[in-house]
Structures are given as C-alpha cells and as structure tokens.
Amino acid sequence: MSVSSLRSFEYLESRPGTTFTRLYQQPSTALAIFRRMLPHLAKSFVMAMLYVSDPLPVTDLESWVRPSSRIEKDQALSLLDRLHIFKTISSPGQPRAYSLTNPFAISLRLALTGGGSHKSFGVPCNRPDKIEVTINFLDDFARSQWEGILHYMVGSTGVGRQAGDKGPRESVKSLLKLGDLVMTRAGKVEITQSGFSFLLQEVNAQVWTLMVFYLENSGNLNMDDVDVFSFLFMLGSLELGQDYSVDNLTPTQSQMLDDLVDFGIVYRRNPKADRFYPTRLATTLTSDAGALRSISAGFDKVLQSGDGKGFIVIETNFRLYAYTSSPLQIAVLNLFSKLSTRYPNMVSGKISRESIRDAITTGITSDQIVTYLTTHAHPQMKKKDPILPPTVVDQIRLWQIEGERMKATPGLLLKDFDNLTEYERTCQYASEIGVLVWKSDSKRMFFVTRVDQLQTFIKNNKSKKSA
C-alpha cells in the first residue's frame, strides 16, 4: 500500500460497518478504494468475483494462489475483510465461501460501466465561467496555498519569511496543532517530530494526513464524516480544469468547500460562487500521479522522494553546503543546523551538538535528519558509498542517544495460548508478516505492533479444528 493511502486506510479501518455501508452507496467511493487502497492480488480477487452471482468456495480461491504466496493471500483477504468488501458465507453442509458485499459490488459495477443518476462523479457546469480559469492558474493557486502551510510549519526559524506574509488561516493553524504537527512554546510556533516526518512525505501523503485530521475533527464542526470522506473521494475522480456545480452538494460538503480552499485543494472565486474547480491536489488524491510536481522547482526539491537532483553537500568536519535559493528548503535546514552564510544560490553552515539537540528537543529524531540529508544529497555525494560520511551519521545518532536511553514501541502483548503448537504457529506467522517485536518461548508470550491479521489467523485455525 502506498504511503499516501496508509493514513486514510487506518482511519477507515477504525470505522464501524454502517459507515462502510453508507460510503459504498457512492460509485466514486467504491472506485477510489478499489484503485488506491487495494494491493494487486486483492484487486484480482474482486474483479474475478465482481460479475459472479454465486459465492466462491474458499478452496477455489486458494487454488488461484501459489503455496509460496500464502502470506500475500492472507494479507489480501484480511484487508478485504477489514474494508467490508468480502464476507464469508458459512452454511450447514456447505463449504465455506466468499462473496462481495453489497452495495460495494453494485457501486463498483456502476463506476466501471456507467449509468444511473447517482451524480457521485460531480456535475459539470453547463455554462462557461465569466472569467476563464486555466490549469496554470489552478496550479499556482494550489502551490501558493500549500507552500504557505509548509512555511508556517518551518518559518518560526526566521529564515526565508516573506514580508507581509500572514500565513494560513486560523482554521488551518488549529488543524496543524490538533494533528501535533506544530506546537506553541513560549508564544513561538515550533515544528514537532510528527511535523518533520510530515515534511519528508510526498505531497499526496501530506494532503491525506491533513484530511484525516480534518475527518477526525469533523464531529466538532457538526459535519457528517461519511459525507466528508465521500466528497474527498469524489474530488479524486474529477477532471483538472473543469468547473463543477455546487447545487448537488450536501450541507456538509458545501461547508467543506471554504475549508478546502484554504488548503489549495479546490478553487472557488468567492463563498457564494455557484461553481468550484478541483486543483491538482484534489485530482491526484486517488491516483498514483504526483501532485504539484512541475509547478515550482524550489517547492519540488524540498518535497521530492529522492529521484530528483539533490542539493546538499556535507563534509567530515560537519560543514554543510546547500545549493539552493528556496526559502522553504533553507528553513528546513535551519531546523537542525546552524546556518552562517547565505549567497544568491547557496547557504552554508554547520551541524553541531547544539543544533542537533535543539532539533531533538522539538521532537525531530536523528534518523529523520539522516534520512533528509541522504534523500537530498548532491549528485556528487551520491557517487560515494555510503552517501554521507559515517562519522557524521554516527555522531548525529550519538548526540540523540545522550539524552535518550529507552524507546517505546506501541503494540499488544499476546499470551495464555492453549498449547505450545498454537503459540509457535501464531508466533511464526507474526514474524512472517513483520509485526513481531519480542517473544519469550519459555513464557509462551510475544509482543506485536498490529493484531488484525493475527486475529484472522487465529480464528481460521480454530475454525479448522472445530470442523
């Protein structure tokens, strides 16, 4: 699963079954979840059963998958179950079988073949706008709004702030604080560990992160979270540059428009306008295409995932040189280094114990700093192996260890198994799917980070025993 959909999936997974029933009433939602949140094997299962009226026996489905891919099969089935796309049918005297749930199957068929009057893919305006809105204008608007949010997060350093820049609206600032991306200390806004991780994400992942925070707080705004989610999925299916009518939107979705304008996800000329335009941030919500990739070179570089040209050179004496003029990039560097000199296209400074400790105080970790330096290393640096000087990497981590002696890992402790065989099988499965953190064979207990697939595994084993 992609990073950009992981956060939204975790939120979806926590919703009750009635939420999924309402969500899947909209073909645009069913299509978005199918496209963005399902791995290839799960998609194959869904498409194989989409036009089959009878339930598919479990043995038939298992025969489609090689024995060596058992883990991938279990992960796909577990995901389909948690998203309420598959249901298991057990009848006396009949073998267990799988079936697609309704209305997911009905809505996905509508999305793929067309038809119906659901209007879940938006209603284009039937008359032209008085003032032409171009794709370039929408890209510039989205970049300006989103870059303003990132500047607010890192702009407290005082580097690269533009005169007269008021930053994002109070509603956006409040959401950043509620999401623990920034915090206020002594009247000054500072980025947190989660905020720095947010900066390292690709733009789509950043958008979904903020949208999940928005969803989590929608109840405080008297908004229907199902309507919010449906509207976001609908935006992901719209066409860039096309204007859409607001007449068919629900009260919750109409309320959302003004907030989404603040994020740069949609453009609306004024709060009373009868149309809105989705920006590239919206139309890439449920696709693999990148958002805002070709708009601004400076904005692009700070958000790239390592496939573009880097700009940072760091020496064994901890001196740092960054070939950039982007205020946003400079502000990010100033979070964990002491910048001393600035030229038209370069800044220089030094990483020190004090600068690293200051970053760690705000919650930024040494691993995050090393990842950032590696990702944005200059092409000349990337010719070396390792990319960063080992002495620099080791020292950055040692400076963090000076103030930390323990690391907490959230998860669950499983114990009290019926017998040794059950313990060993379950523990081995936890290790295979990568959730096992610690185990004690003598005490028959182990610690895992997630328990969803293990619950399904244990349940299936007990069903086989009872059968």
Side-chain angles (χ1 to χ4, degrees):
M1 183 179 298
S2 66
V3 175
S4 59
S5 60
L6 180 59
R7 176 94 188 172
S8 54
F9 166 71
E10 290 177 345
Y11 178 83
L12 256 183
E13 186 183 1
S14 66
R15 300 295 90 192
T18 53
T19 297
F20 288 92
T21 301
R22 292 182 56 200
L23 275 175
Y24 293 153
Q25 297 286 346
Q26 301 297 325
S28 58
T29 300
L31 181 63
I33 290 178
F34 174 81
R35 290 171 56 192
R36 194 60 172 160
M37 294 187 176
L38 297 185
H40 294 301
L41 185 58
K43 289 179 181 178
S44 299
F45 290 159
V46 172
M47 290 305 299
M49 299 174 60
L50 187 59
Y51 294 95
V52 176
S53 57
D54 297 328
L56 180 70
V58 172
T59 53
D60 289 354
L61 184 142
E62 291 180 345
S63 66
W64 298 347
V65 184
R66 295 192 303 266
S68 59
S69 301
R70 180 176 62 89
I71 295 176
E72 290 80 0
K73 179 205 68 177
D74 291 343
Q75 290 174 341
L77 293 176
S78 176
L79 178 59
L80 291 170
D81 177 67
R82 298 199 302 274
L83 288 178
H84 296 264
I85 295 175
F86 262 26
K87 62 180 178 180
T88 304
I89 299 176
S90 299
S91 302
Q94 298 291 330
R96 285 196 313 130
Y98 292 119
S99 175
L100 289 177
T101 60
N102 284 321
F104 178 85
I106 296 174
S107 292
L108 184 58
R109 284 194 290 265
L110 274 176
L112 295 177
T113 60
S117 58
H118 47 81
K119 298 180 181 180
S120 70
F121 291 97
V123 179
C125 289
N126 53 17
R127 64 182 187 279
D129 200 347
K130 295 180 181 178
I131 302 176
E132 182 182 7
V133 176
T134 65
I135 292 178
N136 287 337
F137 172 84
L138 293 174
D139 283 344
D140 289 340
F141 172 77
R143 180 203 58 79
S144 176
Q145 295 294 94
W146 197 256
E147 191 171 7
I149 295 174
L150 301 183
H151 266 296
Y152 172 74
M153 294 178 61
V154 300
S156 58
T157 58
V159 180
R161 296 300 295 274
Q162 299 178 2
D165 183 11
K166 298 180 181 180
R169 289 177 54 181
E170 288 300 322
S171 58
V172 178
K173 295 178 182 179
S174 299
L175 191 64
L176 294 175
K177 292 178 182 178
L178 288 172
D180 193 33
L181 299 181
V182 297
M183 63 180 178
T184 303
R185 179 181 297 175
K188 181 180 177 182
V189 176
E190 295 182 353
I191 194 169
T192 64
Q193 176 182 341
S194 299
F196 195 79
S197 296
F198 177 86
L199 288 179
L200 296 178
Q201 293 176 349
E202 195 267 337
V203 181
N204 283 78
Q206 292 178 340
V207 175
W208 269 117
T209 298
L210 286 188
M211 289 301 97
V212 171
F213 292 149
Y214 189 86
L215 277 160
E216 291 172 344
N217 291 278
S218 59
N220 299 330
L221 303 173
N222 296 321
M223 302 172 74
D224 185 347
D225 62 344
V226 174
D227 270 351
V228 174
F229 232 134
S230 296
F231 191 50
L232 292 176
F233 284 132
M234 184 194 79
L235 289 175
S237 66
L238 301 185
E239 180 182 351
L240 182 65
Q242 174 67 51
D243 51 345
Y244 293 87
S245 173
V246 302
D247 295 338
N248 65 310
L249 301 181
T250 66
T252 290
Q253 294 169 349
S254 298
Q255 183 181 346
M256 282 182 65
L257 277 181
D258 291 337
D259 295 329
L260 295 181
V261 169
D262 296 337
F263 294 111
I265 295 176
V266 299
Y267 170 74
R268 193 181 187 188
R269 188 167 291 111
N270 60 69
K272 294 184 179 179
D274 63 350
R275 68 190 68 208
F276 70 92
Y277 294 81
T279 69
R280 202 177 299 274
L281 289 176
T283 58
T284 55
L285 277 173
T286 58
S287 73
D288 291 323
L292 303 178
R293 280 309 192 186
S294 59
I295 299 174
S296 168
F299 183 54
D300 179 42
K301 286 180 181 177
V302 78
L303 296 171
Q304 63 186 329
S305 58
D307 53 354
K309 185 178 179 181
F311 60 95
I312 297 175
V313 174
I314 187 167
E315 299 176 337
T316 54
N317 60 1
F318 299 93
R319 293 289 302 177
L320 181 146
Y321 304 90
Y323 294 89
T324 179
S325 57
S326 166
L328 186 56
Q329 291 173 338
I330 295 171
V332 172
L333 289 172
N334 208 55
L335 293 172
F336 57 83
S337 65
K338 181 65 175 178
L339 300 180
S340 56
T341 309
R342 181 168 182 176
Y343 300 99
N345 64 341
M346 188 190 78
V347 293
S348 65
K350 189 172 184 178
I351 292 177
S352 64
R353 180 179 183 275
E354 290 72 24
S355 66
I356 296 298
R357 293 303 299 273
D358 288 343
I360 292 172
T361 300
T362 64
I364 300 172
T365 67
S366 60
D367 287 339
Q368 289 175 323
I369 296 172
V370 170
T371 299
Y372 183 84
L373 293 173
T374 304
T375 301
H376 301 284
H378 192 276
Q380 293 296 326
M381 295 284 294
K382 291 185 177 180
K383 292 180 180 179
K384 304 176 182 179
D385 186 20
I387 296 174
L388 301 181
T391 53
V392 174
V393 174
D394 293 342
Q395 189 59 64
I396 290 175
R397 288 176 173 150
L398 286 172
W399 280 328
Q400 177 174 354
I401 293 174
E402 286 179 2
E404 296 182 3
R405 293 293 181 265
M406 297 181 65
K407 179 182 179 181
T409 302
L412 294 168
L413 180 67
L414 301 185
K415 58 181 182 178
D416 298 331
F417 290 92
D418 293 338
N419 52 63
L420 179 61
T421 302
E422 182 183 14
Y423 162 77
E424 290 178 341
R425 287 179 178 175
T426 310
C427 185
Q428 180 181 358
Y429 184 73
S431 177
E432 290 175 350
I433 63 177
V435 299
L436 180 65
V437 177
W438 170 88
K439 67 175 181 177
S440 173
D441 293 334
S442 60
K443 297 181 180 179
R444 293 186 187 178
M445 62 174 61
F446 58 89
F447 188 85
V448 295
T449 54
R450 290 179 66 91
V451 76
D452 310 300
Q453 290 178 239
L454 286 176
Q455 286 179 327
T456 304
F457 179 80
I458 296 172
K459 182 179 179 181
N460 289 341
N461 281 342
K462 289 185 176 179
S463 297
K464 291 179 181 178
K465 289 181 180 179
S466 59

